[in-house]
């Protein structure tokens, strides 16, 4: 009987050791960022003419925006599975038009915060999922025609902050105790730039649905054991 209890104790100890996972208390993750946005504008709409007395200006053409840049995430792990992350990123627009012959340039900056769930085990492959809330700052310049810019003042620049939310995930590949690769992080990005916009077009442009893609590496700082 004594040998039986000793054997059970050894098995429980072995199982507990297998479940315990070392994890970094803090993770920083610099990354490349790409955002594809459809601002939900119709293919043809009108904006107020900046010249008094003239009829509204018809705007036609593609409405999609591409934005490429970089950013980073700072995450604090409360347990091996659950953590809180702050996500910051900025990008520049490229290849975007809102009317024939009127190119759009500008930038976008996201600042988001929320919970993250990471699945850690003996494998170097570690998927994670997260939900973030925060804001998005948009700055746009019309390079050719001021009338083609989404700006109630009639100028050629426009900037605004709006509510933003992301939901998605990715996976890390652990290289060693300190470094991991993050090949892909794919997310749905939701924004509400249309609210309280002075232009009538914003009545049909309250919500924007975007796709955000990130890729980079992860640096772990500190460490602790957990049975989670």
């Amino acid at each position: 009987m004594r040998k039986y209890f000793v054997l059970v104790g050894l098995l429980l100890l072995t199982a507990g050791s297998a479940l315990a996972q070392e994890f970094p208390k803090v993770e920083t993750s610099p990354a490349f960022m790409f955002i594809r946005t459809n601002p939900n504008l119709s293919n043809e709409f009108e904006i107020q003419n900046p010249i008094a007395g003239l009829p509204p200006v018809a705007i036609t053409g593609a409405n999609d925006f591409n934005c490429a840049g970089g950013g980073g995430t700072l995450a604090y792990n409360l347990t091996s599975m659950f953590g809180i992350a702050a996500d910051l990123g900025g990008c520049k627009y490229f290849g975007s038009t809102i009317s024939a012959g009127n190119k759009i340039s500008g930038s976008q900056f996201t600042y988001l915060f929320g919970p993250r769930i990471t699945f850690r085990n003996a494998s170097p492959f570690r998927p994670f999922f997260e939900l973030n809330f925060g804001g998005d700052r948009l700055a746009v310049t019309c390079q050719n025609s001021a009338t083609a810019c989404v700006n109630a003042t009639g100028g050629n620049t426009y900037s605004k902050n709006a509510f933003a939310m992301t939901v998605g995930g990715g996976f890390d590949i652990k290289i060693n105790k300190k470094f991991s690769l993050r090949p892909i992080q794919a997310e749905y990005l939701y924004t509400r730039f249309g609210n309280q916009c002075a232009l009538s077009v914003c009545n049909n442009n309250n919500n924007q649905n975007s796709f955000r893609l990130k890729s980079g590496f992860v640096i772990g700082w500190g460490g602790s054991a957990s049975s989670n």
Side-chain angles (χ1 to χ4, degrees), residues 44-226:
E44 183 173 354
F45 58 92
E46 294 182 344
I47 65 173
Q48 180 181 358
N49 198 310
I51 302 177
L54 293 183
V57 179
I59 303 299
T60 61
N63 298 315
D64 294 332
F65 289 83
N66 298 306
C67 199
T73 302
L74 175 64
Y76 180 78
N77 295 314
L78 301 173
T79 69
S80 65
M81 178 176 286
F82 183 77
I84 302 294
D87 186 306
L88 304 176
C91 58
K92 292 285 187 179
Y93 290 120
F94 68 95
S96 300
T97 61
I98 199 170
S99 178
N102 292 283
K103 294 183 178 180
I104 297 296
S105 64
S107 61
Q108 190 170 352
F109 182 76
T110 56
Y111 44 99
L112 302 158
F113 311 88
R116 173 186 293 175
I117 296 177
T118 304
F119 297 94
R120 307 175 196 269
N121 49 47
S123 170
F125 180 82
R126 296 181 173 178
F128 64 90
F129 301 93
E130 61 183 21
L131 174 66
N132 293 315
F133 299 93
D136 192 336
R137 178 168 178 79
L138 176 71
V140 178
T141 300
C142 291
Q143 297 176 345
N144 295 343
S145 172
T147 61
C149 196
V150 185
N151 186 353
T153 65
N156 67 337
T157 61
Y158 177 80
S159 62
K160 188 177 182 181
N161 288 283
F163 169 80
M165 179 192 77
T166 60
V167 58
F171 66 90
D172 298 338
I173 301 176
K174 184 178 179 180
I175 300 175
N176 54 42
K177 184 177 180 179
K178 191 174 182 65
F179 294 99
S180 300
L181 292 178
R182 182 165 292 172
I184 186 170
Q185 179 178 346
E187 298 168 317
Y188 164 69
L189 170 62
Y190 169 84
T191 53
R192 289 184 62 83
F193 279 105
N195 291 342
Q196 301 176 354
C197 177
L199 296 176
S200 60
V201 67
C202 290
N203 294 331
N204 299 317
N205 186 34
N206 286 330
N207 308 318
Q208 297 78 44
N209 302 297
S210 306
F211 172 74
R212 187 169 77 157
L213 185 67
K214 299 174 71 177
S215 180
F217 60 95
V218 182
I219 306 173
W221 308 91
S224 177
S226 171

Side-chain angles (χ1 to χ4, degrees), residues 2-35:
R2 182 178 179 182
K3 292 182 179 179
Y4 172 78
F5 285 116
V6 171
L7 179 60
V8 171
L10 290 175
L11 289 174
L12 291 175
L13 180 61
T14 303
S17 299
L19 288 174
Q21 296 292 328
E22 285 289 332
F23 66 95
K25 296 298 292 184
V26 177
E27 291 176 301
T28 54
S29 51
F32 163 80
M33 182 175 72
F34 171 80
I35 298 177

